[in-house]
Amino acid sequence: MNIECSPVERKSLCLTPLVAIALAALLALGVSAPASADDVTDQLRQAEAAYARKDLPAALNALATAASLISQMKAEAWKAVLPDPPPGWAADPAKVITVGPAVLGGGVSVERHYRRGADSIDVSVIADSPMLQSVAVLLGAGLMVSGSELMVIDGQRVAYDDNDNTLQAIVADKVLVKVQGSRGVDKAALEAMFKAVKLKDALTR
């Protein structure tokens, strides 16, 4: 079935059925609609054109590119949850880390490095991984905290590992938060940084 688009619609998002279905499938996988979907819809249209001429490898490649573009947009949004540097600390720009399927099944990862003299703290967040809910079940059962100290911070179960001076928690079964400090950083500073991670709004996405 062909859908005719007016000149105005062509400048916006006039989606053919296959493009609309593909975009809906991507959204169903847990990715949010991007603020500017031009590149994404271009890739989806390329996938549709390739599929129409039975070029299945090209269609798959274009769909994968569209999914990657949306994942990048989500990753950029996740940067906002990382804390601002505390008083007396400096911080590097937040960055996106590629998480392949071998690590918790993939997902979005962002991290930021904070420093104060010889002290440093790294805060990282992994989200949208299909494995996190299973990991959360193990953590809740106490199977992943052997040798670690179980803490509760603002009602959240957190594992503290003294060996690498790290706090870790899975929040709402969908986000892994890790706060790791150098040896000179005390546990209270790690707690404060953990509390400063701005997950409240992000968890509603």
Side-chain angles (χ1 to χ4, degrees):
M1 179 178 66
N2 293 324
I3 296 178
E4 294 297 329
C5 298
S6 69
V8 173
E9 289 172 323
R10 289 192 191 100
K11 294 180 181 179
S12 56
L13 295 178
C14 178
L15 300 181
T16 57
L18 182 59
V19 171
I21 291 169
L23 184 56
L26 291 173
L27 296 177
L29 291 175
V31 292
S32 300
S36 175
D38 290 345
D39 291 340
V40 175
T41 51
D42 284 348
Q43 289 297 316
L44 291 174
R45 290 188 179 108
Q46 288 182 33
E48 182 182 40
Y51 180 77
R53 63 177 184 269
K54 306 303 181 185
D55 187 350
L56 300 185
L60 287 171
N61 184 61
L63 287 173
T65 301
S68 294
L69 289 170
I70 295 176
S71 293
Q72 288 176 14
M73 294 173 184
K74 283 217 71 174
E76 289 298 318
W78 275 104
K79 284 183 182 180
V81 311
L82 297 173
D84 298 323
W89 288 75
D92 296 340
K95 59 183 179 180
V96 176
I97 305 298
T98 301
V99 180
V103 181
L104 295 176
V108 173
S109 177
V110 293
E111 68 176 34
R112 195 173 190 187
H113 180 72
Y114 304 80
R115 59 193 184 282
R116 183 187 60 188
D119 295 336
S120 65
I121 296 177
D122 291 293
V123 179
S124 61
V125 172
I126 297 178
D128 300 328
S129 167
M131 296 286 291
L132 284 179
Q133 189 168 8
S134 297
V135 175
V137 172
L138 294 176
L139 184 62
L143 299 180
M144 294 188 65
V145 294
S146 178
S148 300
E149 177 186 348
L150 184 61
M151 304 171 59
V152 178
I153 301 176
D154 288 345
Q156 172 67 49
R157 291 169 60 95
V158 180
Y160 173 69
D161 189 339
D162 181 61
N163 291 325
D164 56 6
N165 203 25
T166 299
L167 293 175
Q168 289 192 83
I170 295 182
V171 182
D173 293 349
K174 61 185 292 188
V175 179
L176 173 63
V177 179
K178 181 178 179 181
V179 179
Q180 182 171 16
S182 61
R183 270 299 149 201
V185 178
D186 61 24
K187 192 191 300 184
L190 296 181
E191 274 192 66
M193 193 69 83
F194 181 89
K195 291 179 180 179
V197 177
K198 296 167 280 192
L199 284 175
K200 184 177 180 180
D201 293 336
L203 290 173
T204 63
R205 293 176 185 152

